[in-house]
Amino acid sequence: MTSDFSAFTTTRRRFLKGTGAALAASATGLCLPALAQAQEITIISNLSNVEQRQILQRLASEYEAKSGAKIVINNMDHEAHKTAIRSYLVVGAPDICFWFSGNRMKAFVNKGLFDDISDLFAKENYKSVLGATTSAVTVDGKQYGLPMGGLLWGLFYRKDVFAEKNWSPPKTWNDFLAFGEAAKSAKMIPISMGTKELWPAGGWFDHMNLRINGLDKHIALMDGKVPYTDPMLTPVFDKWNDLIKAGFFSPSHSSFGWEQAGAALAQKKAAMMDLGGFVRSAFPEADLPQLAYAPFPEIVPGVARYEDFSVNSIHVPANAKNKQGARDFLAYFYKPENLGAFLAAEGAIPPRNDCPPSKDPLVNAAVEELKKVVGTSQYYDRDTDPDMAQEGMAGLQEFMVKPERREQILKRLEKTRKRIFG
């Protein structure tokens, strides 16, 4: 998914060399000097944004001056980190590490590799400012990380186009159907969609399922506890099929990606697009003030509002040497003014609602929208097993191209679910 953070200057070879030294020292009973100092706090990050790395270092230096602790930050390549974390969480764990919330976090929680930091949540009263986002780092009622910057998914549109056409963002399913017909009458694609990368189809499914079945049933499906042939999904695919037949989506969407679909929105060829805030990258700088966000419309009256809010996260490994020091630094790092400055560097949406206002009106709008959200999921490929996600998104894209194959597709996905989840 596009929301993953990527590369920094530390090379894979250099990191693995360092990890190997730590493993060797552990195996021979030696203790590295850095790990021997109880007051030292070690951090492994995978930040690609230069300004974010600078802010993290600044906050670490400020904390060192206040506390007398020594903070060592190791920045490493994103892809190397995705592999290395499986090893260093077992042997040679840092005190703090960056990762992803949701299912990717849960995989390490289930192996006992992330520490329960519910005590930090209680002490700092984080639930009162995180609201629904708390669920992103919660497993069985306990918290195992702090949510970081996020992407709120929804329908994006151009304010000038809607003003010119006298349109309003659709709030109900009937509104949405009427809007689509109006867009087609205006010779515009109602919903711009590019599914070459597969995951945009997964995002559309998320919204449909959340609006029809709610969060608990959606997550049960993602966890492999509900069959893909379950009757609860019938109205999801029925209504989706109605949109496909009515020509709501970009023709030949499987042949191009989200960036081309975003360009169609920017160029006024399409009326709306279901995506995260990074759709801004498809817009010329001069047109960005016209970009606006609207929630996905209600489908079943009475179903609470749940949204995809993809958030990265920061954790204390279960095998950390200095767990208390890690908690103390995280409490400082996670202060609203500090977290706000850190996230502003990449234009991410703060998970806590008391951070200073952003210079970006889209970020501020998302923060306000999050206050209305009852619960959050991550995104299809973050909420379920990676192998299931790949098969699932391919199946959802296929459904959008050939909806008549729905029964075969869902049977195939059910076979995959049984193989993966047992």
Side-chain angles (χ1 to χ4, degrees):
M1 246 187 66
T2 58
S3 57
D4 284 357
F5 298 138
S6 58
F8 180 51
T9 54
T10 304
T11 65
R12 178 186 179 92
R13 179 180 300 174
R14 182 177 173 188
F15 171 77
L16 293 178
K17 181 178 178 181
T19 302
L23 294 174
S26 175
T28 57
L30 297 175
C31 189
L32 294 177
L35 296 179
Q37 300 176 32
Q39 72 273 23
E40 184 169 282
I41 303 166
T42 57
I43 302 173
I44 289 181
S45 80
N46 58 352
L47 302 173
S48 61
N49 185 293
V50 174
E51 188 178 352
Q52 277 195 312
R53 297 197 300 267
Q54 292 172 342
I55 292 172
L56 178 61
Q57 186 59 62
R58 172 178 65 79
L59 294 175
S61 297
E62 290 174 358
Y63 185 76
E64 285 179 334
K66 292 175 181 291
S67 67
K70 172 67 176 175
I71 299 179
V72 177
I73 302 172
N74 296 302
N75 294 292
M76 58 178 300
D77 175 80
H78 176 71
E79 293 303 317
H81 180 253
K82 286 163 68 175
T83 300
I85 190 172
R86 294 173 174 83
S87 298
Y88 76 61
L89 286 179
V90 178
V91 179
D95 299 310
I96 295 170
C97 68
F98 287 75
W99 190 236
F100 309 105
S101 61
N103 187 69
R104 297 189 191 184
M105 178 197 77
K106 192 185 299 182
F108 289 131
V109 170
N110 291 340
K111 294 178 181 178
L113 296 175
F114 279 154
D115 207 35
D116 174 3
I117 59 169
S118 301
D119 57 324
L120 178 62
F121 263 73
K123 179 182 177 183
E124 300 294 329
N125 197 25
Y126 287 144
K127 290 183 181 180
S128 67
V129 293
L130 290 174
T133 313
T134 301
S135 63
V137 292
T138 300
V139 177
D140 295 331
K142 299 177 181 179
Q143 287 72 52
Y144 291 88
L146 292 173
M148 300 293 287
L151 293 167
L152 180 64
W153 295 76
L155 294 175
F156 287 85
Y157 64 98
R158 289 190 62 121
K159 289 184 281 189
D160 53 354
V161 168
F162 271 54
E164 176 190 331
K165 306 294 184 185
N166 197 27
W167 292 341
S168 297
K171 294 183 178 181
T172 68
W173 191 246
N174 286 336
D175 290 345
F176 186 55
L177 295 177
F179 158 77
E181 294 305 318
K184 288 191 293 180
S185 296
K187 308 299 182 185
M188 298 179 75
I189 299 164
I191 301 295
S192 196
M193 179 78 79
T195 63
K196 187 175 182 179
E197 298 104 343
L198 301 182
W199 52 261
W204 192 268
F205 171 80
D206 284 353
H207 262 137
M208 296 285 289
N209 199 34
L210 287 169
R211 291 296 186 267
I212 292 172
N213 289 309
L215 183 62
D216 290 345
K217 290 182 179 179
H218 179 70
I219 294 301
L221 179 73
M222 297 297 97
D223 285 342
K225 297 174 181 177
V226 174
Y228 275 82
T229 51
D230 192 282
M232 81 173 199
L233 294 180
T234 299
V236 175
F237 286 96
D238 281 350
K239 290 186 179 297
W240 197 354
N241 190 35
D242 290 342
L243 300 180
I244 295 169
K245 287 184 175 180
F248 268 55
F249 303 105
S250 305
S252 305
H253 54 77
S254 62
S255 64
F256 55 87
W258 73 267
E259 289 177 297
Q260 289 169 280
L265 180 69
Q267 295 162 9
K268 305 182 182 180
K269 296 176 182 178
M272 299 191 92
M273 186 173 182
D274 188 31
L275 207 69
F278 55 89
V279 68
R280 68 174 55 251
S281 66
F283 277 63
E285 189 72 27
D287 286 357
L288 280 176
Q290 298 299 336
L291 186 60
Y293 168 93
F296 197 90
E298 178 188 74
I299 299 179
V300 176
V303 173
R305 184 177 168 193
Y306 305 108
E307 300 290 4
D308 270 341
F309 183 53
S310 304
V311 291
N312 294 323
S313 46
I314 190 166
H315 305 270
V316 177
N319 292 325
K321 298 291 189 298
N322 189 359
K323 293 182 181 181
Q324 186 56 51
R327 282 165 166 75
D328 294 341
F329 175 71
L330 286 178
Y332 180 75
F333 171 75
Y334 214 65
K335 288 179 178 293
E337 63 274 18
N338 293 339
L339 181 65
F342 178 80
L343 297 179
E346 64 165 348
I349 299 167
R352 57 184 302 165
N353 60 27
D354 58 348
C355 287
S358 171
K359 296 178 181 178
D360 185 340
L362 273 180
V363 171
N364 293 329
V367 170
E368 290 304 309
E369 288 296 330
L370 275 173
K371 294 177 182 178
K372 308 170 189 175
V373 174
V374 177
T376 63
S377 53
Q378 291 285 313
Y379 200 79
Y380 189 93
D381 66 350
R382 284 191 175 204
D383 276 329
T384 195
D385 176 273
D387 291 337
M388 183 72 245
Q390 189 64 27
E391 291 286 340
M393 291 188 298
L396 295 172
Q397 183 218 48
E398 182 183 351
F399 170 74
M400 291 194 71
V401 176
K402 297 180 178 179
E404 69 275 7
R405 291 184 53 82
R406 166 176 162 181
E407 186 176 351
Q408 298 97 305
I409 292 167
L410 293 178
K411 285 182 177 178
R412 186 175 74 236
L413 295 186
E414 175 55 16
K415 185 177 180 180
T416 302
R417 183 194 71 86
K418 288 180 177 178
R419 172 176 59 82
I420 291 173
F421 293 102

